[in-house]
């Protein structure tokens, strides 16, 4: 079949969950047997979100091919199990960079280069790139930002033009907000009407409206919205706040979102989506009674989205282990030798988060020392793994001023050091060791047992590495290097085998954990945390 293009825009306010709606639709279409991909177009000027700090943009997600991407790509992968790549995330910055490069190259043959048609042509070319591979039946394009913003105008204009080029091969979904005004005890449709009007003024008529709301929207009110917005009454659907984002595909299916889209795209609707594995996951989620409590030590814990992929990986792993998950966010700047006992003692497991720079680092060492000495299941990811190494060097190897050269370039014991190939790099954007690399695991190690195999591939985002000159000293003292890159011998995994579960990974396993295929190392970590909890309970009862 011809590739069909679905565009998802948003109105009224940001953070309505366009990413979740796009992912849910993709999940349903995939469950109907279609080949689907989702791409995100972000209207900001940065070439990619790699240089943005988490206060600006939440977590930076990393694709297998090493693109530093918007965190919505994480949702896309978690909901669909389909890997994304560099081509799935475009920004205004990249569009302009391409156009300006072509201009410098002389490709425009002396013409004045303008937003219309040159920028819009470049946007349209990018929208169709994945579709043109022939690998997909559906390409869902999520347009970041809110309709009416100056910066999203060229994207909306491009989409308007595409409607003429693609004719019946495209569907427009617009997501808006229906607020509940407490004082008046009323839901209000006016912001939706205005937002659809803004979209129509730009020449785009939505086919489906998804209304985000805290309360059920009565059928009568939905009919009114349909009437005002020029949309078929059955194409106005609601997205009521759900206890878990993983329920949204089911909620959308109940209101026939997948069927509406198929119908609009001119595809015959046959049967039902095969959602059994997904429903089994939801069932496990509902039935879980006990709770496993994990402490997440990081410096961005006050931000909702800073550790999104870790949160979701933990949740998936807890669910598959038939437990509910409670995450206690622990600000690393607040962890001191005086506070650490109070902050960590009720936890079943501790994760030390990835990150950059000096702030909060000493608290991570304090937390790790406490976890190591109390034998709590502990998982260090990227900077968290590097902190495990530094803390061990200081406290067990007696190298008191051991550090990473990231934190102290003149440390006499650079147990974590800048990678050789990084030494000549001066640009910050897109220059880390990024994307998926192989890691060979030592047979019999806890890490290899967790994965059930000795060769894995995981994603990376770092400049610093374990300094192999110190390797034998660590191993003799009980911290083993149990994972390394087969080609470069870079240390990827460390563990202390004498402890319950004390593993650090230089890579980020959280980027590859999905609902239908949770990452084995998270499953193993949570299983160890549950075991530790039950062990403590038992000892309390004796
Ligand atoms: N700052 C460390 C490095 O660059 C760790 C990075 C991370 O945690 N993603 O190596």
């Amino acid at each position: 079949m011809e590739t069909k293009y679905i565009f998802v825009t948003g109105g009224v306010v940001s953070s309505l969950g366009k990413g979740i709606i796009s992912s849910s639709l993709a999940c349903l279409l995939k469950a109907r047997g279609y080949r689907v991909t989702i791409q995100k177009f972000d209207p900001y000027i940065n070439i990619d979100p790699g240089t943005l700090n988490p206060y600006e943009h939440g977590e930076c997600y990393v694709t297998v091919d090493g693109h530093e991407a918007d965190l919505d790509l994480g949702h896309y992968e978690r909901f669909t199990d389909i890997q994304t790549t560099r081509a799935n995330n475009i920004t205004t910055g990249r569009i302009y960079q391409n156009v300006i490069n072509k201009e410098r190259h002389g490709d425009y043959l002396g013409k004045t280069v303008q937003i219309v048609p040159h920028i819009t042509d470049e946007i349209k070319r990018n929208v169709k790139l994945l579709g043109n591979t022939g690998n997909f039946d559906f390409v869902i394009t999520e347009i970041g930002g809110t309709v009416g913003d100056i910066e999203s105008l060229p994207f909306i204009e491009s989409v308007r033009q595409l409607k003429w080029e693609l004719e019946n091969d495209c569907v427009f979904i617009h997501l808006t907000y229906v607020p509940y005004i407490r004082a008046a005890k009323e839901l209000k449709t006016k912001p939706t009407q205005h937002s659809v009007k803004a979209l129509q003024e730009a020449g785009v008529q939505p086919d489906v409206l998804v209304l985000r709301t805290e309360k059920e929207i009565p059928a009568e009110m939905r009919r009114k919205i349909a009437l005002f917005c020029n949309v078929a009454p059955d194409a106005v659907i609601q997205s009521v706040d759900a206890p878990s984002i993983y329920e949204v595909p089911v909620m959308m299916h109940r209101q026939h979102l997948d069927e509406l889209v198929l119908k609009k795209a001119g595809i015959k609707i046959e049967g039902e989506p095969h959602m059994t594995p997904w429903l089994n996951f939801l069932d496990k989620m509902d039935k879980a009674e006990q709770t496993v409590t994990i402490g997440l030590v990081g410096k961005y814990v006050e931000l909702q989205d800073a550790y999104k992929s870790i949160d979701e990986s933990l949740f998936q792993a807890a669910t598959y282990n038939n437990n509910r998950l409670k995450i206690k966010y622990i600000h690393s700047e607040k962890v001191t030798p005086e506070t650490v006992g109070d902050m960590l003692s009720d936890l079943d497991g501790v994760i030390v988060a990835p990150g950059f720079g000096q702030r909060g680092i000493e608290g991570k060492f304090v937390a790790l020392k406490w976890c190591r000495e109390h034998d709590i299941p502990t998982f260090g990811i990227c900077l968290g793994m590097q902190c495990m190494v530094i803390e061990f060097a200081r406290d067990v190897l007696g190298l008191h001023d051991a550090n990473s050269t990231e934190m102290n370039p003149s440390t006499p014991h650079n147990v974590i050091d800048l990678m050789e190939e990084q030494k000549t790099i001066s640009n910050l954007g897109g220059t880390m060791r990024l994307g998926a690399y192989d890691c060979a695991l030592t047979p019999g190690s806890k890490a290899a047992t967790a994965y059930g195999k000795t060769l894995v591939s995981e994603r990376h985002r770092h400049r610093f590495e374990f300094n192999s000159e110190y390797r034998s000293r660590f191993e003799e003292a009980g911290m083993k290097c149990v994972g390394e890159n087969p080609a470069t011998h870079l240390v990827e995994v460390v563990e202390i085998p004498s402890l319950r579960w004390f593993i650090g990974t230089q890579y980020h396993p959280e980027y590859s954990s999905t609902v239908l295929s949770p990452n084995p190392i998270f499953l193993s970590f949570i299983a160890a945390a549950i075991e530790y909890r039950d062990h403590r309970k038992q000892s309390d009862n004796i």
Side-chain angles (χ1 to χ4, degrees):
M1 69 181 235
E2 282 291 313
T3 303
K4 308 288 180 184
Y5 290 85
I6 301 167
F7 297 99
V8 180
T9 53
V12 184
V13 286
S14 58
S15 304
L16 288 179
K18 284 194 296 264
I20 303 294
I21 294 296
S22 304
S23 302
S24 299
L25 175 60
C27 173
L28 291 169
L29 292 173
K30 189 191 170 204
R32 285 183 171 274
Y34 295 107
R35 301 168 307 158
V36 193
T37 189
I38 320 177
Q39 54 189 2
K40 173 94 189 260
F41 280 41
D42 274 312
Y44 52 73
I45 313 278
N46 304 60
I47 299 292
D48 59 48
T51 52
L52 290 172
N53 89 38
Y55 287 105
E56 292 286 317
H57 208 62
E59 166 188 281
C60 175
Y61 187 74
V62 179
T63 60
V64 267
D65 63 340
H67 180 64
E68 296 176 288
D70 184 79
L71 60 79
D72 271 332
L73 272 75
H75 290 308
Y76 303 165
E77 293 203 11
R78 287 188 283 273
F79 276 67
T80 64
D81 247 323
I82 301 167
Q83 286 182 342
T84 54
T85 65
R86 184 173 301 275
N88 293 75
N89 193 192
I90 309 290
T91 65
T92 292
R94 249 170 93 192
I95 297 289
Y96 271 78
Q97 192 180 45
N98 292 347
V99 169
I100 291 168
N101 285 345
K102 281 186 205 161
E103 186 273 334
R104 292 290 82 180
H105 194 245
D107 294 356
Y108 295 112
L109 307 175
K111 286 251 183 303
T112 307
V113 181
Q114 296 180 300
I115 292 181
V116 181
H118 303 101
I119 293 294
T120 48
D121 279 353
E122 182 60 17
I123 294 174
K124 289 193 288 181
R125 189 181 73 80
N126 277 277
V127 167
K128 291 190 286 187
L129 273 183
L130 286 168
N132 290 342
T133 61
N135 295 336
F136 301 105
D137 302 318
F138 285 94
V139 175
I140 301 176
T141 305
E142 179 190 342
I143 313 258
T146 307
V147 167
D149 292 350
I150 293 176
E151 50 183 22
S152 53
L153 272 176
F155 290 102
I156 304 290
E157 167 60 13
S158 306
V159 162
R160 181 194 70 77
Q161 293 176 18
L162 275 170
K163 174 135 175 97
W164 289 100
E165 290 171 32
L166 299 168
E167 293 181 4
N168 292 330
D169 289 333
C170 57
V171 181
F172 292 88
I173 300 176
H174 187 57
L175 182 64
T176 75
Y177 183 48
V178 177
Y180 178 74
I181 308 294
R182 239 164 263 283
K185 295 199 176 59
E186 260 182 312
L187 285 160
K188 291 291 181 191
T189 66
K190 195 73 75 182
T192 294
Q193 295 178 37
H194 279 297
S195 147
V196 173
K197 203 146 268 162
L199 196 58
Q200 287 166 337
E201 270 166 22
V204 175
Q205 170 62 49
D207 299 304
V208 179
L209 290 180
V210 178
L211 312 174
R212 183 68 196 275
T213 172
E214 284 169 53
K215 295 212 181 269
E216 288 274 333
I217 304 172
E220 186 48 41
M221 189 173 268
R222 273 182 274 154
R223 263 195 300 276
K224 178 176 141 192
I225 293 172
L227 193 68
F228 273 116
C229 298
N230 215 14
V231 174
D234 66 342
V236 178
I237 62 187
Q238 58 177 344
S239 174
V240 185
D241 285 358
S244 161
I245 51 172
Y246 300 125
E247 286 173 22
V248 179
V250 179
M251 280 167 42
M252 290 300 111
H253 179 57
R254 253 187 246 126
Q255 298 177 81
H256 314 291
L257 177 63
D258 47 334
E259 289 159 29
L260 280 167
V261 165
L262 290 174
K263 203 165 93 189
K264 188 72 209 166
I267 298 171
K268 198 162 152 249
I269 302 163
E270 278 166 307
E272 284 288 308
H274 173 65
M275 291 292 281
T276 314
W278 193 274
L279 294 174
N280 287 344
F281 177 82
L282 295 187
D283 195 45
K284 271 183 177 298
M285 214 168 81
D286 285 345
K287 292 211 172 106
E289 282 171 3
Q290 288 190 294
T291 301
V292 59
T293 308
I294 303 296
L296 195 158
V297 183
K299 66 174 167 182
Y300 296 118
V301 286
E302 70 278 26
L303 297 176
Q304 162 108 339
D305 286 341
Y307 303 111
K308 193 86 208 155
S309 294
I310 295 180
D311 294 348
E312 297 305 322
S313 303
L314 287 171
F315 180 75
Q316 291 152 6
T319 304
Y320 279 102
N321 275 291
N322 303 307
N323 265 254
R324 294 181 178 273
L325 173 73
K326 184 172 164 211
I327 302 181
K328 185 175 164 192
Y329 293 96
I330 297 167
H331 201 304
S332 51
E333 281 183 292
K334 300 199 175 125
V335 188
T336 64
E338 292 72 41
T339 60
V340 68
D342 281 348
M343 290 177 102
L344 303 190
S345 57
D346 58 338
L347 301 173
D348 305 323
V350 172
I351 284 220
V352 181
F356 297 84
Q358 170 68 29
R359 184 166 70 85
I361 198 99
E362 292 299 327
K364 290 186 173 174
F365 299 143
V366 175
L368 283 166
K369 178 174 157 65
W370 202 86
C371 290
R372 184 171 55 75
E373 290 178 345
H374 291 78
D375 198 3
I376 295 180
T378 308
F379 191 5
I381 299 180
C382 205
L383 180 65
M385 170 269 196
Q386 298 176 353
C387 289
M388 279 179 162
V389 169
I390 297 166
E391 189 281 316
F392 192 86
R394 289 184 181 180
D395 208 59
V396 180
L397 302 185
L399 308 172
H400 296 302
D401 32 22
N403 214 333
S404 162
T405 45
E406 178 181 3
M407 315 307 160
N408 176 8
S410 56
T411 169
H413 296 294
N414 52 345
V415 290
I416 301 293
D417 201 7
L418 192 62
M419 282 181 278
E420 199 51 44
E421 69 266 25
Q422 288 285 327
K423 290 186 177 156
T424 48
I425 288 174
S426 54
N427 267 357
L428 288 186
T431 55
M432 285 188 239
R433 179 172 179 254
L434 291 166
Y437 286 92
D438 280 349
C439 165
L441 298 165
T442 310
S445 62
K446 283 205 167 70
T449 312
Y451 281 100
K453 53 184 178 182
T454 52
L455 188 66
V456 298
S457 171
E458 293 281 14
R459 305 180 204 180
H460 297 72
R461 184 174 187 241
H462 66 124
R463 293 186 202 281
F464 295 81
E465 63 173 329
F466 181 96
N467 182 349
S468 288
E469 282 174 27
Y470 288 89
R471 184 165 173 162
S472 56
R473 290 169 77 174
F474 277 86
E475 303 218 301
E476 278 156 27
M479 181 178 266
K480 307 277 185 208
C481 301
V482 297
E484 63 174 45
N485 179 275
T488 62
H489 301 293
L490 180 143
V491 173
E492 294 277 12
V493 186
V494 296
E495 72 181 38
I496 302 182
S498 59
L499 298 179
R500 277 197 178 84
W501 204 104
F502 198 92
I503 300 180
T505 61
Q506 182 59 76
Y507 55 74
H508 293 258
E510 71 274 23
Y511 293 142
S512 62
S513 193
T514 70
V515 169
L516 297 185
S517 136
N519 190 293
I521 199 130
F522 276 96
L523 289 173
S524 162
F525 170 60
I526 291 289
I530 291 170
E531 217 178 290
Y532 175 58
R533 176 197 68 200
D534 294 346
H535 167 79
R536 274 179 10 256
K537 267 196 202 150
Q538 256 175 14
S539 337
D540 286 352
N541 289 340
I542 293 168

